[in-house]
Amino acid sequence: MSETQYASLFGTRLRQARQMAGFSLRELSDRIGGAVSHNALAKYERGEMMPDGTLLIALSEALDKKPEFFFRKMQEPIQAVEYRNAHQLGEKEARTIRFKAQDHFERYLEIESLLGLKNAFANPLGKAVFSTSAGMEDAAQHVRKQWKIGQDPILNFTQTLESHGIKLFEVEAPDAFEGFSGWINAHPVIVLNFQKNTLRKRHTLSHELGHLLLKGHLGPSLQEDVVVRRFGAAFILPEKAFKDAFGGHRESLALEELIELKAVWGISISSIIMRAKELGLISQALYRRFWDDHGDAWAKARREPGDDRYAGREESKRFFSLVHRAIAQQEITRSKAAALLDINLDELREQINILS
């Protein structure tokens, strides 16, 4: 790599690290004690200059990144990003989240490469094209069949997706952020807000899964943003199994049975009611009465009865496990593992417990 290419790579990485940290150029200049001005930092980001060792260390400490981060090979940026509730998220916040996700997935792809894993993704929908909203029922069933999930509740959504080639990342983000999906080097990815509860994460995962799988599989009359909601509902609550669990068509409902359905299927009562209405299991009048009596107030409070009854957990563990596998198999050094996990060596030592 030429000096010009190194300068360009460093500049791109510097901008990425700065925006991940949420700093302006002036703020970063202040963080390094004014060692260089914000105008000089802009030149570094444009690849016009290279830092000396002293400045590189100062920038690394200010941005909480190891020096090698600034020279790590670039991957293609995340493409075809689909945000949930994008209008509620500021431009600066969205950019910070996206850069953090880019950094994580680059490290994710690197550990797969180091372990020789060929984790190519195959869309289970194949060449199917769906022309009606009702077709989302068939689409969801087809995915469940291809992935051999059956009709039972999905106990661990994150593990299901990761085992089928979808990479996940949980990021600390403002409450307005729910999640987004996209692609990096032909790999599907989903980003979740680490701070959301398990039920919210499952809802977001089902929605973003729809975006990933349905793009290019919808007829011209369908709007992707509309049908992904139905796909997600049909995937989490498959029609036949849900009808049986719900008890068929109902004229009235008890709150306790809705809480129990929530605990079994891992989805909110509001989503259960919407699914029941969608499948014709309750009348419009009963649906409206639910929202008047409960739903609107629960939505405003952002809480429902039984939020603590669902015992499942949704945590993305595959990346972490791959790094520790590589340590155990002596495929990488501990220093490299710490860099991949974006932690220091002391933190890594606390994690390691290798049996041999």
Side-chain angles (χ1 to χ4, degrees):
M1 189 180 292
S2 69
E3 185 175 337
T4 300
Q5 289 172 319
Y6 268 116
S8 177
L9 174 59
F10 174 79
T12 301
R13 287 297 189 194
L14 176 59
R15 178 171 174 266
Q16 180 184 10
R18 176 177 63 80
Q19 294 193 330
M20 278 194 286
F23 297 154
S24 67
L25 288 166
R26 288 184 184 276
E27 288 170 334
L28 179 54
S29 178
D30 291 341
R31 291 272 177 163
I32 59 174
V36 294
S37 69
H38 69 281
N39 287 324
L41 287 172
K43 290 183 178 181
Y44 284 115
E45 289 193 358
R46 291 196 297 268
E48 296 175 7
M49 298 192 298
M50 278 288 287
D52 60 21
T54 301
L55 179 57
L56 178 60
I57 291 172
L59 289 169
S60 298
E61 292 176 349
L63 295 168
D64 195 25
K65 291 294 177 187
K66 294 178 173 57
E68 54 263 36
F69 164 84
F70 296 96
F71 302 100
R72 191 176 72 209
K73 181 181 177 182
M74 293 293 299
Q75 299 283 348
E76 291 182 10
I78 300 174
Q79 304 290 330
V81 172
E82 297 285 351
Y83 279 93
R84 288 206 67 213
N85 301 333
H87 63 284
Q88 298 180 18
L89 199 63
E91 182 179 339
K92 180 180 178 181
E93 294 169 331
R95 187 169 56 243
T96 296
I97 292 167
R98 192 162 175 169
F99 273 116
K100 286 181 178 179
Q102 179 78 26
D103 174 49
H104 175 81
F105 290 124
E106 286 181 352
R107 290 183 280 115
Y108 202 140
L109 292 174
E110 184 176 0
I111 189 59
E112 285 191 332
S113 176
L114 289 169
L115 287 170
L117 300 177
K118 305 295 184 183
N119 198 26
F121 177 74
N123 191 325
L125 293 178
K127 297 181 179 180
V129 176
F130 302 93
S131 57
T132 66
S133 178
M136 295 304 98
E137 302 293 333
D138 293 333
Q141 280 301 303
H142 187 74
V143 175
R144 275 182 167 259
K145 181 178 180 180
Q146 291 296 308
W147 285 357
K148 297 179 172 58
I149 297 173
Q151 301 300 302
D152 294 332
I154 299 172
L155 300 180
N156 191 320
F157 214 139
T158 53
Q159 187 179 67
T160 297
L161 298 188
E162 288 184 316
S163 67
H164 290 92
I166 298 174
K167 294 171 172 50
L168 305 180
F169 173 49
E170 295 184 60
V171 62
E172 291 193 23
D175 190 61
F177 176 69
E178 294 283 351
F180 76 72
S181 58
W183 297 80
I184 180 168
N185 287 11
H187 296 276
V189 299
I190 296 177
V191 179
L192 299 170
N193 189 335
F194 174 78
Q195 300 181 81
K196 297 295 182 180
N197 67 34
T198 298
L199 296 178
R200 288 303 305 171
K201 288 179 183 178
R202 288 169 64 85
H203 183 78
T204 298
L205 285 170
S206 70
H207 185 93
E208 298 305 332
L209 177 64
H211 278 299
L212 291 173
L213 299 187
L214 293 171
K215 192 173 293 293
H217 293 267
L218 300 176
S221 64
L222 295 181
Q223 290 184 309
E224 184 178 324
D225 286 341
V226 175
V227 296
V228 292
R229 190 211 61 78
R230 181 154 188 179
F231 172 87
F235 189 72
I236 289 185
L237 300 169
E239 182 174 357
K240 185 178 185 306
F242 177 67
K243 284 181 175 179
D244 290 343
F246 195 76
H249 184 79
R250 302 290 299 277
E251 298 295 336
S252 61
L253 295 166
L255 179 58
E256 186 57 36
E257 65 175 318
L258 293 174
I259 292 174
E260 182 60 25
L261 286 171
K262 175 179 181 174
V264 171
W265 291 92
I267 197 70
S268 69
I269 294 174
S270 298
S271 295
I272 290 169
I273 290 294
M274 291 177 69
R275 182 68 171 145
K277 170 65 170 58
E278 192 169 63
L279 295 175
L281 301 180
I282 59 174
S283 66
Q284 176 66 29
L286 183 55
Y287 175 76
R288 189 65 259 165
R289 191 158 65 248
F290 164 79
W291 285 105
D292 290 343
D293 293 348
H294 304 293
D296 290 337
W298 293 347
K300 186 175 181 179
R302 308 188 77 171
R303 288 184 58 83
E304 287 185 349
D307 278 347
D308 58 345
R309 290 272 290 273
Y310 182 66
R313 298 183 66 183
E314 295 293 348
E315 294 180 277
S316 176
K317 293 291 188 182
R318 184 172 181 270
F319 169 70
F320 179 86
S321 297
L322 290 179
V323 175
H324 278 264
R325 180 197 302 178
I327 299 171
Q329 295 177 177
Q330 298 184 353
E331 301 276 357
I332 59 175
T333 65
R334 294 189 178 191
S335 177
K336 179 63 176 178
L340 286 167
L341 292 170
D342 199 24
I343 59 177
N344 61 47
L345 279 170
D346 287 337
E347 291 173 303
L348 180 66
R349 290 188 189 100
E350 292 178 4
Q351 293 180 3
I352 293 176
N353 182 17
I354 297 175
L355 301 178
S356 59

